[in-house]
Amino acid sequence: MQADPRALRFAAAVTTIVLALVLVTGSAWLLAAQAAVFALSIFRASPYGMIFKGIVKSPPKELEEAAPPRFAQGVGLVFALVGLIGYITQITPLALGATAAALFAAFLNAAFGFCLGCEMFLIIRRLLPAAR
């Protein structure tokens, strides 16, 4: 399966905005919504990707493998869930730290096209050849 890198960066930009709003507002509900987006994205049903496809009609000049970004969405989901646990249990450092880590990774992808979770995927695949 292939993915449009423009859609991935668009999703990262929206995620960056959402996670920044979570940090500013402290909204567990907004973080839960972003966690749901991460979960949907793992199963190729990204709401942000669907919005992108509705806005941009031109075909991509290149495609990339979809597995690394899907893995990255899973990593984002883990951080969002940990942050959510922090907000629910009122462990503020956990909530802020996990949300900030997810925000940092999303920002790297949105601003520079560097997908931290994708790089993790490639490293894991190199270290565990049986996982291919």
Side-chain angles (χ1 to χ4, degrees), residues 60-118:
K61 291 180 181 156
E62 61 185 56
L63 295 172
E64 63 182 52
E65 183 183 349
R70 275 199 321 272
F71 177 83
Q73 293 297 305
V75 173
L77 175 60
V78 169
F79 276 91
L81 291 175
V82 170
L84 197 53
I85 290 168
Y87 280 112
I88 291 168
T89 59
Q90 297 182 351
I91 302 172
T92 304
L94 181 64
L96 297 178
T99 304
L103 170 61
F104 178 70
F107 176 76
L108 284 177
N109 196 354
F112 305 109
F114 181 78
C115 176
L116 195 55
C118 299

Side-chain angles (χ1 to χ4, degrees), residues 20-77:
L21 287 171
V22 169
L23 288 176
V24 169
T25 64
S27 173
W29 291 108
L30 190 54
L31 185 55
Q34 181 59 51
V37 169
F38 282 138
L40 288 168
S41 298
I42 294 169
F43 299 104
R44 298 184 189 117
S46 168
Y48 302 155
M50 291 177 198
I51 293 168
F52 178 82
K53 287 178 186 175
I55 296 171
V56 177
K57 301 298 181 188
S58 64
K61 291 180 181 156
E62 61 185 56
L63 295 172
E64 63 182 52
E65 183 183 349
R70 275 199 321 272
F71 177 83
Q73 293 297 305
V75 173
L77 175 60

